Amino acid sequence: MNAVFFALVIVSFGFATWGQLTGNGAGMQALSQAMIDSAAGAVELAVGLIGVMALFLGLMKVAEAGGLLTIIARLISPLMSRLFPEVPPDHPAMGAMILNLSANALGLGNAATPFGIRAMQELDRLNTKPGVATDPMVLFLAINTSSVTLLPTGVIALRASAGSQDPAGILPTTLVATMAATAAAILAAKLYRSFTPFAATPALPETTHNTPTPDSKSADRINAPVPNTGEPYPLWVSMLALGTLAGLIPLTIFFGQALSPWIIPLLFVGFLTFGWLRRVAVYEAFVEGAKDGFWVAVRIIPYLVAILAALGMLRASGALAALVHLLGPLTETVGLPAQALPMALLRPLSGSGAYGILASIIQDPAIGPDSYTGYLVSTLQGSTETTFYVLAVYFGAVQIRRIRHALAAALTADLTGICAAVAICSYLYR
């Protein structure tokens, strides 16, 4: 992200310098004003996001306290044992992987990362060749960067704060895109492994890995014992749940316009009812989750200021207009507006950067959250993961130097997710 951020600033400065010297474009005054306005707008955006983020994370805390994470883990456990035959079903690695994917499905990124790192640590205990990624490691990473997302709560919250009339309208498009990406991840990981056999590499001197680390609360969860999810449901129950999930796709496609006004109220009532029936103190749990939502919205302010200032410079300098003019005719033919192209390119590189681009696009009065482009970039944010960040953090946690086909499988899943997002958004909203 350092290189991307620096490149955006330098390109913007170069274009503005050319405009200042030739008089054929924006000058330094426009660049300066854009930087200040974008920084102020980033803070205003984060403040407006606080309430909605607190609402959704409060609901997710009620669901988590009621055991919804465990229920989903028990549902996918039989499927996971068949996807990962090399990992014993009772091994801690299996439990950590199941909990990680379950948390991702519910949009609980703060819980997913510690479980994911713990899963890699446990998988490394089964590794006979330290420093080389095993087949289960690669498959887990590929699935993790594309895992099925049932509730993209963060994106829904951002769309709501941007004034969307249908903030939950991305649920069907996100579901289609993530299911396609996950299927591609599994197939790619299984197929590409024949091109990168699991072989030892010469020993390398120990190095210090400067990879991002979770906060202290996350570190405690990583080092804690993996929670017991209980006995897995029978395979037929898991297949029935998977079939029901797949059946939701045509239902949401054909009846999405009629169902979308009901989604957020039903989520609110449904999660509170679920927590109440599971004997959760729903008010206290909701407030605890809302506190997390408040601090999440506050913590993203520096990232939003950085990326929105850089994007404001890019727009004011004329560089973005030049990019749109150059690539627009080509990308428009496949349903990808040039305005959305930076989002598609940056999403695998930086979650905060892509989040900033998403905010910039749907806050633009000329585009808005409920336009085709608004739906597309929202779907891209909700249905794909920050691939390079996940690879760096998870492999860095266990000192993996040879990642084999992990990057190729993850990028295949990313490309499939982008294509699926374009296809479903074109069908529903174009």
Side-chain angles (χ1 to χ4, degrees):
M1 189 55 198
N2 290 323
V4 173
F5 178 67
F6 184 70
L8 289 175
V9 173
I10 290 299
V11 169
S12 302
F13 183 79
F15 266 78
T17 300
W18 174 260
Q20 182 78 23
L21 295 177
T22 63
N24 296 322
M28 289 300 162
Q29 181 62 37
L31 198 67
S32 300
Q33 192 62 46
M35 294 169 62
I36 295 172
D37 291 345
S38 298
V43 177
E44 293 175 3
L45 172 64
V47 170
L49 187 60
I50 288 176
V52 189
M53 187 69 77
L55 171 67
F56 279 100
L57 289 191
L59 287 178
M60 296 312 300
K61 189 67 175 181
V62 172
E64 185 181 11
L68 186 58
L69 193 67
T70 302
I71 292 173
I72 295 178
R74 293 175 66 189
L75 279 173
I76 67 175
S77 181
L79 304 177
M80 291 286 288
S81 62
R82 286 160 176 79
L83 280 176
F84 295 88
E86 306 93 340
V87 181
D90 57 349
H91 194 276
M94 185 65 77
M97 286 192 295
I98 290 171
L99 289 170
N100 167 266
L101 298 180
S102 301
N104 272 328
L106 293 177
L108 300 173
N110 291 337
T113 300
F115 287 137
I117 295 176
R118 181 61 185 274
M120 290 298 291
Q121 292 172 340
E122 295 297 336
L123 286 173
D124 198 48
R125 297 180 189 275
L126 302 173
N127 191 354
T128 59
K129 298 170 183 176
V132 182
T134 63
D135 288 340
M137 285 181 177
V138 173
L139 179 57
F140 172 65
L141 260 294
I143 295 176
N144 197 275
T145 60
S146 62
S147 58
V148 174
T149 303
L150 302 177
L151 293 173
T153 50
V155 182
I156 294 175
L158 183 59
R159 286 175 54 80
S161 69
S164 172
Q165 299 299 310
D166 185 19
I170 63 164
L171 286 179
T173 57
T174 299
L175 185 59
V176 169
T178 54
M179 290 189 72
T182 300
I186 294 171
L187 293 176
K190 297 288 188 181
L191 176 64
Y192 296 166
R193 65 183 179 183
S194 61
F195 301 104
T196 56
F198 182 57
T201 53
L204 297 175
E206 291 294 327
T207 58
T208 301
H209 289 258
N210 296 318
T211 55
T213 56
D215 57 26
S216 59
K217 184 183 292 186
S218 297
D220 291 340
R221 298 185 70 171
I222 293 170
N223 296 323
V226 178
N228 183 12
T229 59
E231 288 295 321
Y233 293 121
L235 180 60
W236 69 268
V237 175
S238 300
M239 297 305 296
L240 179 62
L242 185 62
T244 302
L245 182 63
L248 290 176
I249 295 178
L251 182 67
T252 54
I253 290 175
F254 291 114
F255 302 102
Q257 295 296 325
L259 292 175
S260 60
W262 291 78
I263 291 176
I264 293 180
L266 284 177
L267 285 176
F268 196 91
V269 174
F271 279 10
L272 291 182
T273 303
F274 173 80
W276 182 270
L277 295 176
R278 302 279 291 190
R279 301 184 183 279
V280 173
V282 291
Y283 177 76
E284 286 81 357
F286 182 90
V287 170
E288 187 65 27
K291 291 179 183 177
D292 293 339
F294 175 86
W295 289 113
V296 166
V298 170
R299 283 196 299 266
I300 66 174
I301 289 178
Y303 302 98
L304 285 177
V305 169
I307 196 65
L308 290 185
L311 290 173
M313 293 173 65
L314 195 69
R315 187 182 296 109
S317 68
L320 186 60
L323 178 65
V324 171
H325 179 75
L326 178 66
L327 298 178
L330 177 62
T331 58
E332 285 283 358
T333 60
V334 295
L336 182 63
Q339 299 94 327
L341 184 60
M343 175 76 182
L345 295 176
L346 190 60
R347 186 66 181 101
L349 297 173
S350 168
S352 60
Y355 195 82
I357 291 180
L358 170 63
S360 176
I361 291 174
I362 65 176
Q363 291 279 345
D364 187 343
I367 301 175
D370 295 330
S371 64
Y372 167 72
T373 302
Y375 277 110
L376 177 59
V377 294
S378 300
T379 301
L380 291 176
Q381 177 72 17
S383 61
T384 54
E385 186 52 88
T386 313
T387 297
F388 287 88
Y389 173 85
V390 172
L391 290 174
V393 172
Y394 286 12
F395 279 138
V398 290
Q399 305 290 294
I400 293 295
R401 300 183 177 91
R402 186 183 175 195
I403 66 173
R404 299 174 63 217
H405 55 293
L407 179 59
L411 291 179
T412 299
D414 287 340
L415 179 60
T416 303
I418 291 171
C419 293
V422 169
I424 188 60
C425 288
S426 296
Y427 179 80
L428 289 180
Y429 301 117
R430 200 172 189 188

